[in-house]
Amino acid sequence: MKRDFLSMESWGQERCLALLDLADRVKRGEIPGGLERKIMAMVFMDPSLRTRASFEAAMFLHGGHGIVLEPGKGSWSLETEPGAVMDGTTVEHIKDAARVLGRYADVLGVRTFPRPGAWDTVRQDHVIRRFAEYCEKPIINLESTRRHPCQGLADAMTLREQFRGDPRGKRFVLLWAWHPKALPTAVPASAAISAAMLGMEVVIARPDDYELDPEDTALVRQLARDNGAMIHINNDPDDALVGADAVYVKSWGSVKHYDRPEEEAAMRAGLRDWRLTGQRLRSTRGGKGIVMHCLPVRRNVELDDEIIDGPTSVVVDQAENRLHAQRALLLEMLRSA
Ligand code: CP
């Protein structure tokens, strides 16, 4: 049976931690080759810099090849709804695209951000799940509505590096930050899952009405508990950051207001003071809490230049670790394929 990589929790904590060990070895240059004559096809229904470049580089570095498709920009625009009467703008159904790409490639990566609608429906993450259903080859989630597991792996790898292999008990603060757009919750949910899998004390600092999807919060709580740690929810950024060992700055939209974007935007407009300032950073442990962000970042909006470029920022290490974590993932998924 094929094994998709749709989320870290579906892959399993033990296997994720084993991937991180493999990623460390890959990063040290201990594992050459391994993907000779393997093909990864990637469907980017939304833009990317890191995910696309790092997967293409990963395939090349191990002797394989990556094919990138951007529906609507050089490849056909894709219909995602089952049973759709395709007399509109979409030209090809994902059922056909997934089945055909499965004949060319050994693994298929898909990026598909959330679309407008009712959160109860959108949260089902139908598009990535349909690709997984239709494609005979394993699927890698390159960021969907609910999860960005490749980012989560790289974040976990970075946290282990920063805390000498054992971040257990360290205080990880996921800090909501103001942003001009209502962004998806895939990255913050995945980051919190990573920290909980590592046994870190997880603090989710967000304004009222900006809770993550309750199922995600419950999952983080369960993972933290399983690993002997705690989760705290805090609506005061000053209080939340005191003693933090790691601060993950991230914006996301209110899922409670998902289908009322004007109302959400009006609410968000009053939250510009939710950001990591120099003063807040000084309140972290020894004033040296590491600063994380998945990138891309709106400089001097989410984070000031002096913080992103400062001595405790690890944002570029996180981005580099995307490459190594994904090399490990591809080796694990494709070596025996
Ligand atoms: N962090 C991340 O996924 O970056 P891209 O959107 O550029 O791929």
Side-chain angles (χ1 to χ4, degrees), residues 191-323:
I193 288 167
S194 290
M197 278 190 177
L198 295 175
M200 300 181 79
E201 180 189 358
V202 179
V203 180
I204 302 178
R206 85 295 178 266
D208 292 333
D209 289 322
Y210 281 82
E211 299 89 357
L212 293 173
D213 185 280
E215 192 179 82
D216 294 345
T217 307
L219 173 63
V220 175
R221 180 169 285 114
Q222 186 59 51
L223 286 168
R225 195 176 292 147
D226 291 348
N227 289 295
M230 299 270 287
I231 172 177
H232 313 275
I233 310 294
N234 197 320
N235 63 1
D236 177 346
D238 292 314
D239 180 57
L241 285 167
V242 174
D245 295 288
V247 188
Y248 201 115
V249 181
K250 188 71 191 88
S251 192
W252 63 90
S254 167
V255 296
K256 271 187 180 169
H257 296 77
Y258 190 80
D259 56 358
R260 286 166 283 148
E262 290 87 11
E263 218 175 284
E264 198 274 348
M267 199 168 66
R268 190 161 23 86
L271 298 169
R272 284 192 82 132
D273 61 333
W274 273 83
R275 59 204 305 277
L276 181 59
T277 59
Q279 189 179 343
R280 285 176 177 156
L281 187 56
R282 282 191 287 281
S283 76
T284 63
R285 196 179 299 280
K288 292 183 177 161
I290 62 164
V291 178
M292 305 181 75
H293 193 287
C294 63
L295 303 179
V297 63
R298 297 236 184 180
R299 279 178 175 254
N300 303 310
V301 175
E302 292 172 85
L303 276 170
D304 289 344
D305 285 340
E306 64 184 17
I307 293 180
I308 307 172
D309 302 329
T312 67
S313 167
V314 297
V315 300
V316 180
D317 301 297
Q318 284 173 265
E320 179 189 338
N321 285 339
R322 291 291 305 275
L323 173 63

Side-chain angles (χ1 to χ4, degrees), residues 111-138:
R111 167 164 284 198
T112 172
F113 289 171
R115 303 289 184 256
W119 181 245
D120 274 354
T121 305
V122 174
R123 69 186 292 283
Q124 305 297 328
D125 231 347
H126 283 307
V127 178
I128 192 97
R129 291 185 191 286
R130 285 176 191 145
F131 266 104
E133 181 191 336
Y134 301 143
C135 186
E136 66 188 65
K137 298 291 170 49

Side-chain angles (χ1 to χ4, degrees), residues 40-44 107-111 128 138-142:
M40 178 179 185
M42 288 169 258
V43 176
F44 280 93
V107 63
L108 175 62
V110 177
R111 167 164 284 198
I128 192 97
I139 299 287
I140 297 179
N141 183 348
L142 306 181

Side-chain angles (χ1 to χ4, degrees), residues 26 53-55 57-59 61 154 318-328:
V26 165
S54 56
F55 266 109
M59 288 305 295
L61 286 170
Q318 284 173 265
E320 179 189 338
N321 285 339
R322 291 291 305 275
L323 173 63
H324 307 304
Q326 291 160 194
R327 289 167 71 189

Side-chain angles (χ1 to χ4, degrees), residues 47-52 111 143 148 151 294-296 322:
S48 165
L49 185 151
R50 278 144 291 275
T51 305
R52 175 179 174 165
R111 167 164 284 198
E143 188 175 346
H148 194 353
Q151 183 68 51
C294 63
L295 303 179
R322 291 291 305 275

Side-chain angles (χ1 to χ4, degrees), residues 93-106:
H93 201 280
I94 59 168
K95 188 180 241 180
D96 302 312
R99 291 197 299 197
V100 169
L101 290 170
R103 299 285 175 95
Y104 301 152
D106 300 284

